[in-house]
Amino acid sequence: MNLSRLFVEADLSAGVEVSLSETQAHYLRHVVRREEGARLSLFNGRDGEWSATLSLRGKRDAAARVGACLRAQEAEPDLWLCFAPIKRARIDFIAEKATELGVAVLQPVLTRHTAVERVNVERLRANAIEAAEQTERLTVPDVREPIDLGRLLDRWPPERRLLMCDETGGGPPIAEALAGLDDASRTSPWAIVIGPEGGFAQSELAALHRMSNVTAVGLGPRILRADTAALAALACWQALLGDWRKPTPRLVNDYRTSRTVT
Amino acid sequence: MNLSRLFVEADLSAGVEVSLSETQAHYLRHVVRREEGARLSLFNGRDGEWSATLSLRGKRDAAARVGACLRAQEAEPDLWLCFAPIKRARIDFIAEKATELGVAVLQPVLTRHTAVERVNVERLRANAIEAAEQTERLTVPDVREPIDLGRLLDRWPPERRLLMCDETGGGPPIAEALAGLDDASRTSPWAIVIGPEGGFAQSELAALHRMSNVTAVGLGPRILRADTAALAALACWQALLGDWRKPTPRLVNDYRTSRTVT
């Protein structure tokens, strides 16, 4: 666990001083007990990752003095996760795990059988930021406002393929379906679409199957909860089409802040 | 969600009456408010799945009268998950998700950097039973007592392959590594081995790499929490070597208690 890697909004470049939020200051002082001058690393989703040192000011404030650039900016694969909101612990879990598994966009989708209508987007964002800090991403997923499934499909970008986990069964196995794609489909932007615990309504299933660029898949003989299906589909997509096809970078130090591909 | 599917210890055959536990009786009466004669389905990990009707007796007791056999017994793939215990919410999550993802055995493993030494095996078992009820399995994973990694490897069954998620990096991509296996390896029994949050010690990594039947893999460029790595490896294994390679059975009724492969 990397306890000193922080997401900030500010621009990052050598020599600047960046104010930390009250939550970050509290965390560094009182939870992980960092002292003046402690080593940090910072990222903002745009400028790569930078070393920094902690500067404690007054009782509550803290700032970070930015040093050298540790890693150049890089993007995650262009993968959305479109999921129906579920109850609190499980939706927090989706935000955390999907961030670790490298999604670019988290899109809550309201469906006819969605049990939970209100989504605390700010809380999801906080979960995504914390997970991005831990998982060594250089970006934080874009957590979007909830949208009705019909409206989402009406304005669907034509070049983005949908991987639809069809809980009614009959979908071809996910590995077979993804292996059978042509090169253009393999390298296009993607979205994984997961229904609510109650399943998609018949009309919603029909609308999804009518999309020109949909790949419906099955995830085996057991009934999966929505959060499990989301995770499992993300892992399979990354392994078969995403950046897990590249060798894993080797860790080069204890702080896991700097990596090199061997 | 299937609210009326219960795991029982008793033998199942047409016409027998099976006593339900106090917890099950309470759940059926007071949580999901089932009445005398309500339809249930029962499984015990040996005799397949059976329809049954609820019989309420006295204030607390309940029993089930067994009717017809709905599905013949079938086994999950012979896959173990060997994982270092982690803190409570995350270990509960591993038990639930690994059950949904079809493991046969959950084996807690104590390593040098394992942060949590005590494992509540009974609680893990209860989580696994609940998940097996929901996920329509006919078995409950065997939740074993914790064991030291060294002792586990000393008595390792020679025919069982290890899929080792190597968090130090340098492992080949999981899809490439699994695709490159010969037929004998693809169809042998397997175990997925996941280290603790603190990582395996150098001596433990060396011992794992010395095993004759180990496949070390990488899970992409992001640092994954232990629970995420466990889930992701399970999903990829099922998709590439396990029972997700078969078409998904189609649901045939609302209760999801009876399925037929199309």
Side-chain angles (χ1 to χ4, degrees):
Chain A
M1 300 274 288
N2 187 338
L3 303 175
S4 306
R5 188 171 187 272
L6 300 175
F7 175 76
V8 294
E9 300 282 353
D11 292 336
L12 295 171
S13 60
V16 302
E17 186 165 285
V18 173
S19 290
L20 300 178
S21 71
E22 230 175 271
T23 312
Q24 289 171 327
H26 173 80
Y27 172 80
L28 291 168
R29 276 170 189 272
H30 300 297
V31 181
V32 293
R33 297 179 185 280
R34 291 291 184 270
E35 297 183 346
E36 177 74 21
R39 275 182 59 194
L40 307 174
S41 76
L42 306 180
F43 68 110
N44 62 6
R46 305 181 303 276
D47 298 325
E49 180 162 351
W50 294 76
S51 72
T53 51
L54 179 61
S55 166
L56 299 172
R57 305 186 292 200
K59 271 197 177 164
R60 292 212 179 136
D61 273 14
R65 281 192 212 94
V66 179
C69 185
L70 300 171
R71 289 160 73 195
Q73 185 62 31
E74 54 196 50
E76 312 311 317
D78 188 359
L79 175 63
W80 296 0
L81 177 65
C82 303
F83 63 101
I86 47 179
K87 63 184 182 180
R88 174 160 179 165
R90 290 182 187 276
I91 199 170
D92 287 352
F93 167 79
I94 284 186
E96 174 186 304
K97 296 309 178 207
T99 303
E100 290 182 65
L101 295 171
V103 297
V105 169
L106 281 162
Q107 175 64 69
V109 180
L110 305 177
T111 70
R112 278 192 51 200
H113 298 160
T114 300
V116 178
E117 294 291 327
R118 288 193 55 219
V119 182
N120 186 335
V121 171
E122 281 314 307
R123 204 184 66 232
L124 286 188
R125 249 171 224 152
N127 285 328
I129 288 172
E130 191 185 332
E133 290 171 346
Q134 295 299 333
T135 199
E136 310 267 318
R137 282 175 66 138
L138 290 171
T139 60
V140 170
D142 180 11
V143 182
R144 302 215 170 142
E145 294 294 329
I147 186 172
D148 282 329
L149 179 64
R151 289 185 62 208
L152 178 71
L153 297 184
D154 282 347
R155 58 175 75 168
W156 192 262
E159 74 285 1
R160 184 172 298 274
R161 292 200 65 85
L162 289 89
L163 181 68
M164 176 194 164
C165 299
D166 187 352
E167 87 280 4
T168 63
I174 186 167
E176 180 186 313
L178 296 186
L181 294 166
D182 60 27
D183 280 350
S185 300
R186 292 173 66 86
T187 54
S188 54
W190 278 83
I192 291 171
V193 183
I194 302 282
E197 295 284 352
F200 288 116
Q202 282 302 323
S203 59
E204 292 170 338
L205 283 172
L208 282 161
H209 281 295
R210 270 197 308 273
M211 298 292 287
S212 62
N213 41 11
V214 68
T215 303
V217 299
L219 295 172
R222 287 164 292 278
I223 305 282
L224 303 183
R225 286 181 189 270
D227 53 346
T228 315
L231 278 195
L234 282 170
C236 292
W237 187 93
Q238 286 286 13
L240 293 162
L241 298 186
D243 63 10
W244 293 12
R245 289 174 303 155
K246 290 180 276 185
T248 304
R250 195 176 286 281
L251 294 176
V252 292
N253 70 31
D254 282 344
Y255 289 96
R256 299 188 171 184
T257 53
S258 175
R259 301 182 123 206
T260 179
V261 177
T262 55
Chain B
M1 299 276 290
N2 187 336
L3 303 174
S4 307
R5 187 170 188 272
L6 300 175
F7 175 76
V8 295
E9 299 282 353
D11 292 336
L12 295 171
S13 60
V16 303
E17 186 166 284
V18 173
S19 291
L20 300 179
S21 72
E22 231 175 271
T23 312
Q24 289 171 327
H26 173 80
Y27 172 79
L28 291 168
R29 278 172 188 273
H30 301 296
V31 182
V32 294
R33 298 181 183 279
R34 292 291 185 269
E35 297 184 345
E36 178 73 23
R39 274 183 61 195
L40 308 175
S41 76
L42 306 180
F43 68 110
N44 62 6
R46 303 181 303 275
D47 299 325
E49 180 161 349
W50 295 75
S51 72
T53 51
L54 179 61
S55 167
L56 299 173
R57 307 186 290 200
K59 272 196 175 163
R60 295 213 177 132
D61 273 15
R65 282 193 212 92
V66 179
C69 186
L70 301 172
R71 288 161 74 194
Q73 185 63 32
E74 55 197 50
E76 312 310 316
D78 188 358
L79 176 63
W80 296 0
L81 177 65
C82 304
F83 63 101
I86 47 179
K87 64 183 182 182
R88 174 161 177 165
R90 291 183 186 274
I91 199 170
D92 288 352
F93 166 80
I94 284 187
E96 175 187 303
K97 297 308 178 208
T99 302
E100 292 182 63
L101 295 171
V103 296
V105 168
L106 281 162
Q107 174 65 69
V109 180
L110 305 177
T111 69
R112 278 193 50 201
H113 299 160
T114 299
V116 178
E117 293 290 328
R118 288 194 55 220
V119 181
N120 186 335
V121 171
E122 280 315 306
R123 203 185 67 233
L124 285 189
R125 249 172 222 150
N127 285 328
I129 288 173
E130 191 186 330
E133 290 171 345
Q134 296 298 332
T135 200
E136 311 267 317
R137 282 174 66 138
L138 291 169
T139 60
V140 170
D142 180 11
V143 182
R144 304 216 169 141
E145 295 294 329
I147 185 173
D148 281 328
L149 178 64
R151 288 186 62 208
L152 179 72
L153 297 184
D154 282 347
R155 58 175 73 170
W156 192 262
E159 75 284 3
R160 184 171 298 275
R161 291 200 65 84
L162 290 89
L163 180 67
M164 176 194 166
C165 299
D166 186 350
E167 86 280 3
T168 63
I174 186 167
E176 179 186 314
L178 296 186
L181 293 166
D182 60 28
D183 280 352
S185 299
R186 292 174 67 86
T187 54
S188 55
W190 277 83
I192 291 170
V193 183
I194 302 283
E197 295 285 350
F200 287 116
Q202 282 301 325
S203 59
E204 293 170 339
L205 283 171
L208 282 161
H209 282 295
R210 271 197 307 273
M211 300 292 287
S212 62
N213 41 12
V214 68
T215 302
V217 299
L219 295 172
R222 286 164 293 276
I223 304 281
L224 303 183
R225 286 181 189 270
D227 53 347
T228 315
L231 276 195
L234 283 169
C236 293
W237 187 92
Q238 286 287 13
L240 293 162
L241 298 186
D243 62 12
W244 293 13
R245 288 174 304 155
K246 289 180 275 185
T248 304
R250 196 175 285 281
L251 294 175
V252 293
N253 70 30
D254 282 344
Y255 290 95
R256 300 187 171 186
T257 53
S258 174
R259 299 181 125 207
T260 177
V261 177
T262 53

